[in-house]
Amino acid sequence: MAKRTSHPAGTPSYVDIGSPDPTATAAFYGALFGWTVNDLGPDAGGYAMAQIDGDDVAGIGPQQAPGPPYWTTYISVDNVDDTAKKVEASGGSVLAPAMDVFDAGRMAVFMDPNGAAFAGWQPKESIGADRVNEHGALCWNELNTRNLDAAKAFYTDVFGWSWSDNSEYGEFKVGDRGVGGAMPMGDNHPPEVPEHWLVYFAVDDINEAVAKVKELGGTTMTEPFEAVGVGQMAVALDPHQAAFAVIQLNEPGD
């Protein structure tokens, strides 16, 4: 079990998805990961919280924009209004200005200069995900980009990340801890696929997880393969075509 009571600023701390059918999406991921999904009531506009043993792990809500649904990565910040200024000063844009989410926290939605959407989360009563790095929980967030150097410069300016010295894959760090990655998009990504953040969920058994995705009406973009030194993973689409990854880690996360 990897429970959290806080996420350092600059760390991806939460994910949610806007779905054209939140009830069906909750049923799919609930069956896949063992989530209990609780509607937060009419004041929350149909938003629901996915939990494992009462701990928050992800959110599911109605889709707000046209096009295929997608998972949004939230990055923890000390002051989301200041983050919005840094995003714009560094060439990004603000898609949704800073707003309070009841007493849970304050958020804004951004787009980096290359077109990848992400969000900032300023925690108050909610830190974001209470559990990470275990079955059914968030364990990695990976930017897929066509301009890795530009992405590194932008996110360093905004969040102060340091990066591993690798031209093929960028691991970003908060202090000495690797908290996510950035990968160049190659020929396997059609031109119409936008730059995006891919969300990884940990699973106990990759083959069982992939079989369950298919059983529940999802599809796989890859069959299980070795992420060298990390574990066995696969990239999948849920029944509404939202992409996500599942990974059986070689070593449990802390």
Side-chain angles (χ1 to χ4, degrees), residues 126-147:
S126 171
I127 64 167
D130 296 324
R131 292 186 186 216
V132 295
N133 303 335
E134 64 175 83
H135 180 82
L138 177 68
C139 67
W140 195 247
N141 302 72
E142 181 182 83
L143 175 66
N144 285 240
T145 177
R146 293 184 173 89
N147 191 332

Side-chain angles (χ1 to χ4, degrees), residues 201-207 230-233 246-250:
F201 296 103
V203 294
D204 290 335
D205 187 302
I206 188 64
N207 293 312
V230 181
Q232 292 282 327
M233 65 167 288
V246 286
I247 185 165
Q248 179 183 337
L249 298 167
N250 289 340

Side-chain angles (χ1 to χ4, degrees), residues 45-60:
Y47 196 84
M49 188 63 66
Q51 297 182 322
I52 296 175
D53 292 338
D55 292 325
D56 297 346
V57 292
I60 299 171

Side-chain angles (χ1 to χ4, degrees), residues 78-165:
D78 292 328
N79 187 310
V80 76
D81 297 86
D82 287 347
T83 301
K85 295 175 184 177
K86 291 179 181 178
V87 165
E88 292 184 315
S90 301
S93 55
V94 177
L95 300 181
M99 68 189 85
D100 290 319
V101 183
F102 303 108
D103 295 326
R106 189 165 171 80
M107 65 166 286
V109 182
F110 309 118
M111 181 176 286
D112 72 24
N114 299 315
F118 65 100
W121 180 252
Q122 178 183 333
K124 294 181 181 177
E125 291 189 358
S126 171
I127 64 167
D130 296 324
R131 292 186 186 216
V132 295
N133 303 335
E134 64 175 83
H135 180 82
L138 177 68
C139 67
W140 195 247
N141 302 72
E142 181 182 83
L143 175 66
N144 285 240
T145 177
R146 293 184 173 89
N147 191 332
L148 183 57
D149 289 340
K152 286 181 176 181
F154 170 79
Y155 288 100
T156 297
D157 287 345
V158 174
F159 296 113
W161 291 341
S162 59
W163 295 82
S164 61
D165 186 17

Side-chain angles (χ1 to χ4, degrees), residues 169-195:
Y169 188 91
E171 180 185 36
F172 56 85
K173 300 179 179 182
V174 173
D176 294 330
R177 184 183 179 90
V179 295
M183 183 175 70
M185 296 172 69
D187 294 338
N188 58 323
H189 291 88
E192 64 270 18
V193 175
E195 301 196 15

